[in-house]
Amino acid sequence: MLDLATALAIGGDCLADISQLRAHPEIFGAVAFDPTVSRLISVLAVDADTALAAIDRARATARRHAWTAAGASAPEHAIDEAHPLLLRPGKLGIEHRRRPSPKHYVQRGTPITVVQDALAQLALDPGYRAGKKVLVRIDGAGGTHQLIEYLTKRRLSYAPASGRDPQVGLGLTDAHAEAIDLVPDRAWTPAYYADGQVRDGAWVTELTGLLDLSSCRQACG
């Protein structure tokens, strides 16, 4: 398990990436062979819920010790609305927005479950309403009404997995495109970033009354 955890910590995202440790015995010492890893996973899979719970507890404990030792360099140090703690449920890396990191986290369950698991892993205790001190960045898989409502209820900030726009969007369909074609030029207005700066080449308009979103609500939860 320690070898697998180390492989994840250096950027691995599958069991085979443990070979990166094996390639540097001067740093990592003796590393488990692939058959040993496979047998371990098979044993853990017999009672996956118990195994995952134990792994979560161990990881949370290790993170708490690491962040305490890091002091002012810890990800949760001096976080606020302008410099929030960044959660990426898609990759589930936990990092300070001012100190990006390539770390990955194994995704499992629904988007809400993944966010809940990520919050539970924090060394700090943000409480149920974590507030604007935590920013959740999610990809298209997280663009559901249920997840957005959950994030709003917990007063969590959220944004797309890339870029700096403070919203999560859905894919453009033919129905959307047809509705957009009906909007007169005078109805468009420049788009702005959350910091108030104009977004070059981007414009926004209102499609209410031109688009039936009932099927989208059903499909998106």
Side-chain angles (χ1 to χ4, degrees), residues 49-192:
D49 290 340
T50 298
L52 290 172
I55 292 171
D56 284 344
R57 289 194 299 271
R59 184 171 53 241
T61 299
R63 179 175 289 112
R64 184 166 57 253
H65 286 308
W67 287 13
T68 298
S73 297
E76 92 282 16
H77 179 74
I79 58 173
D80 54 27
E81 185 172 350
H83 305 96
L85 185 71
L86 177 59
L87 296 184
R88 288 183 172 174
K91 295 180 178 179
L92 268 190
I94 297 181
E95 62 194 27
H96 195 294
R97 196 175 185 182
R98 290 178 293 188
R99 290 184 283 275
S101 166
K103 295 180 181 178
H104 298 276
Y105 184 110
V106 178
Q107 178 172 338
R108 67 177 189 270
T110 67
I112 291 178
T113 300
V114 174
V115 172
Q116 291 173 331
D117 287 347
L119 290 172
Q121 283 291 308
L122 297 180
L124 72 159
D125 180 12
Y128 182 76
R129 292 182 178 273
K132 304 303 180 182
K133 294 186 296 183
V134 176
L135 173 65
V136 180
R137 306 204 74 160
I138 50 181
D139 56 21
T144 69
H145 288 282
Q146 288 179 336
L147 178 59
I148 301 306
E149 290 169 358
Y150 169 80
L151 296 175
T152 301
K153 185 177 181 180
R154 294 202 61 168
R155 300 182 66 184
L156 289 161
S157 297
Y158 55 87
S162 60
R164 55 174 177 157
D165 301 282
Q167 75 276 335
V168 176
L170 301 176
L172 185 67
T173 66
D174 290 339
H176 296 155
E178 293 172 0
I180 290 173
D181 288 339
L182 298 176
V183 179
D185 292 343
R186 65 178 181 277
W188 291 88
T189 185
Y192 292 83

Side-chain angles (χ1 to χ4, degrees), residues 22-23 41 142 150 202-203:
R22 201 177 295 118
I41 297 303
Y150 169 80
W203 297 73

